[in-house]
Amino acid sequence: MDLAALARFLALPQDDLNLAALLKSPLIGLDEDQLFALAHDRGDETLWAALTRCAGDAAAFAQAHGALADLLARADFAPPFELLARVVEATGGRAAFAARLGHEAEDAVDEFLSLALDYERAHTPSLQGFLHWLDAGETVVTRDLEQGERDEVRVMTIHGSKGLQAPIVFLADTMALPPTRTPLILWPGPRGPRAPIWAPTRRLERSLDDGARAAIDAKRLEEYRRLLYVAMTRAEDRLYVCGWETQVKPKEACWYHLIEAGLAEEGAPAAFDFGGGWAGEGRRIVTGTPKPPQAAEAVAEEIETLPDWASHLPAPEPIPPRPFAPSQPSEDDPPVRTPLGADDGARFRRGLIIHRLLQSLPDLPSGKRVGAAKRFLARPGHGLDEPAREALLSETMAVLEAPEHAALFGPGSVAEVPVTGVIGDQVISGQVDRLCVTAETVTILDYKTNRPPPSEIGAVAPIYLRQMAAYRAVLRKVYPGRDVRAALLWTDGPRLMILPNTALDAHQP
């Protein structure tokens, strides 16, 4: 709620009541006297204007104004999660919440930040939109109170304690009966009247309801007794049933008297002294006999001899080296033709377009490839005129339909294949542009875009040969007994180049 108040202030600084709540929150930390001095006798002036005016009067006001003014300056530019995360982490908001509310408050803070992040993933990130989304969702954050042992006392309602247990439970108030708030209209039902009844006076109601209101009160007392069962079964070891009397004597149907009557034959009278003048008479009831403590010698005999590994440090686990990504080599690539040359980057865009066509078109039936390619090339984002589209289509289809290339793009071939393996002590991880697997051979095809294509194998950069040799080494282990081949498709052409094994053997990982 404090973080939501901060968000509402950043959206509307003129909301005086919200700003007053924010100033007293752990985020700012003004006390009652300081807030009164700031808000009292200010006429029509808003609370934010008063804080701005009094910033020079006291260090607390100056600090509060500086922090809020800085956040207001960022609110129009930062999304909700970034803004709130800065408050929580960078400016000490988390520590302020923990100092006043305890470390349990961190659960709500983390959940609030998580909600802000979830909102940004699904909606346009605006502060006002996040607040509306938060209010509409009616989110409730609950804590798992059964996680670990805590040195604390929990004060809870019976409804809130359902499903929980504790070694010691106090039923602090067992004298009061539930309030008799009966409905204004008595509706027909199993315990209601035969027709809906609304009586302007009790006298008329008593003559008409035929005991319906008494039946409603009896139903309420049944629920009251069911809650008593829930309350008494929360204790693991000890249950203290407490209560106090006022001038009005408690009803016989209250929890205290129900428990007293039910356990009248159990236990024995006992005096209780809680210190500080709190003492009284009660009844001590023991429902089980605690086990006597075991002697230290008996406990020692039950302990088995520890295994050898318990007294030695574990051996270091093997840590694989940093994976070698062939498609992202650590050394520099060979120089490429700049996209800012005379062709204004046309060759660069041309290579990427051909790469995409060669990736996608082989998945379509051969009769539909040309139509799909034309629709793709005609997209306005490519900025291609008719002659450029025809040239790209012609070159791409020449690669796909060439007899010597057809097998690489036919059935059994797959695009964008992840490749991972261990060769010696080297972990290799990469992605092959296209993989063609047959019963006898495995062909690795990798596209090279916007590179001046070499005319012979000897001119191919060693970095590419090492990349293809690494892929070949991994796939030889995946497909033992098959001939694994490698090829480069230079899209600046385009031209397919088969890499002989002799060229790759020298770069084997």
Side-chain angles (χ1 to χ4, degrees):
M1 293 174 64
D2 290 331
L3 288 171
L6 172 62
R8 291 189 179 93
F9 164 76
L10 297 178
L12 184 63
Q14 291 76 23
D15 187 343
D16 290 348
L17 180 60
N18 180 75
L19 177 55
L22 174 61
L23 291 175
K24 284 196 61 180
S25 73
L27 294 172
I28 304 300
L30 297 187
D31 58 26
E32 287 281 357
D33 294 337
Q34 291 171 326
L35 182 60
F36 182 83
L38 184 66
H40 179 62
D41 196 19
R42 54 189 168 87
D44 296 334
E45 188 180 33
T46 65
L47 189 58
W48 173 242
L51 180 62
T52 304
R53 174 176 51 81
C54 299
D57 297 343
F61 294 160
Q63 185 176 1
H65 181 268
L68 295 178
D70 177 68
L71 291 173
L72 275 175
R74 299 174 182 270
D76 292 336
F77 305 98
F81 174 77
E82 179 181 331
L83 193 65
L84 295 169
R86 174 181 176 81
V87 173
V88 171
E89 306 298 347
T91 62
R94 184 182 296 274
F97 282 123
R100 181 184 297 187
L101 305 175
H103 291 287
E104 295 84 355
E106 295 188 12
D107 295 342
V109 172
D110 292 338
E111 182 64 21
F112 191 84
L113 293 180
S114 178
L115 289 173
L117 194 59
D118 291 342
Y119 172 78
E120 291 186 14
R121 289 171 177 156
H123 304 83
T124 302
S126 70
L127 195 60
Q128 188 64 39
F130 170 63
L131 288 172
H132 175 74
W133 177 79
L134 194 67
D135 292 338
E138 297 182 351
T139 301
V140 176
V141 181
T142 59
R143 296 178 55 240
D144 185 0
L145 297 176
E146 292 294 276
Q147 285 187 351
E149 296 293 335
R150 291 185 172 92
D151 185 16
E152 63 185 17
V153 175
R154 291 177 284 179
V155 181
M156 310 178 68
T157 64
I158 300 300
H159 288 285
S161 67
K162 287 182 178 179
L164 304 178
Q165 282 191 317
I168 301 175
V169 171
F170 286 85
L171 300 185
D173 181 10
T174 59
M175 296 295 195
L177 286 175
T180 57
R181 291 192 295 266
T182 53
L184 296 177
I185 298 178
L186 302 180
W187 297 97
R191 300 187 180 186
R194 291 184 294 274
I197 293 177
W198 175 80
T201 65
R202 286 280 182 173
R203 180 181 59 82
L204 293 176
E205 181 181 293
R206 285 195 296 270
S207 65
L208 295 174
D209 66 3
D210 194 20
R213 189 170 297 279
I216 294 175
D217 292 339
K219 183 179 179 180
R220 183 185 301 107
L221 289 177
E222 289 179 5
E223 175 64 18
Y224 177 66
R225 288 189 287 271
R226 280 193 290 268
L227 285 177
L228 173 58
Y229 169 80
V230 174
M232 296 183 68
T233 53
R234 300 309 94 201
E236 295 176 354
D237 299 328
R238 292 187 182 185
L239 175 66
Y240 292 91
V241 181
C242 309
W244 65 91
E245 294 184 357
T246 61
Q247 294 180 352
V248 179
K249 295 295 183 180
K251 303 291 185 181
E252 290 298 321
C254 71
W255 282 0
Y256 191 93
H257 289 313
L258 291 175
I259 298 173
E260 186 179 36
L263 300 177
E265 304 297 329
E266 304 291 337
F272 293 91
D273 185 1
F274 295 101
W278 292 90
E281 297 292 330
R283 186 173 295 272
R284 186 189 304 274
I285 300 170
V286 179
T287 59
T289 302
K291 295 181 180 180
Q294 291 180 281
E297 296 79 5
V299 175
E301 292 177 357
E302 296 179 1
I303 300 177
E304 298 180 358
T305 304
L306 292 176
D308 293 338
W309 54 262
S311 57
H312 296 83
L313 292 176
E317 295 184 4
I319 301 177
R322 180 180 178 183
F324 166 60
S327 58
Q328 298 177 354
S330 57
E331 56 189 279
D332 294 336
D333 283 352
V336 300
R337 185 178 287 119
T338 173
L340 303 177
D343 61 356
D344 194 25
R347 286 183 176 270
F348 181 78
R349 295 193 301 271
R350 174 176 170 275
L352 294 178
I353 292 172
I354 292 179
H355 190 146
R356 179 61 184 272
L357 290 173
L358 293 177
Q359 173 186 339
S360 304
L361 291 181
D363 297 334
L364 301 177
S366 57
K368 297 183 178 181
R369 293 177 180 176
V370 174
K374 287 183 177 180
R375 290 192 297 273
F376 176 76
L377 294 171
R379 292 179 178 178
H382 298 317
L384 300 173
D385 55 18
E386 184 63 27
R389 294 198 295 268
E390 290 296 331
L392 289 173
L393 177 63
S394 176
E395 292 185 8
T396 304
M397 296 308 299
V399 173
L400 295 177
E401 296 175 353
E404 62 273 22
H405 306 162
L408 298 176
F409 301 96
S413 63
V414 185
E416 305 297 330
V417 180
V419 174
T420 304
V422 179
I423 305 298
D425 59 352
Q426 180 70 54
V427 179
I428 296 175
S429 178
Q431 185 162 294
V432 173
D433 289 338
R434 194 157 199 90
L435 188 67
C436 180
V437 180
T438 66
E440 299 179 353
T441 63
V442 177
T443 304
I444 310 164
L445 184 62
D446 202 73
Y447 308 140
K448 297 302 177 186
T449 58
N450 199 36
R451 305 283 192 261
S455 57
E456 55 185 17
I457 300 297
V460 176
I463 190 174
Y464 297 150
L465 298 178
R466 282 193 290 274
Q467 173 188 357
M468 302 308 289
Y471 288 149
R472 185 188 65 167
V474 174
L475 290 172
R476 278 179 172 175
K477 299 181 69 174
V478 177
Y479 299 99
R482 303 192 197 188
D483 183 20
V484 181
R485 304 173 182 176
L488 295 176
L489 180 62
W490 304 95
T491 58
D492 192 5
R495 189 166 67 88
L496 185 71
M497 176 183 290
I498 305 296
L499 302 177
N501 288 333
T502 55
L504 299 178
D505 291 342
H507 302 279
Q508 181 76 11

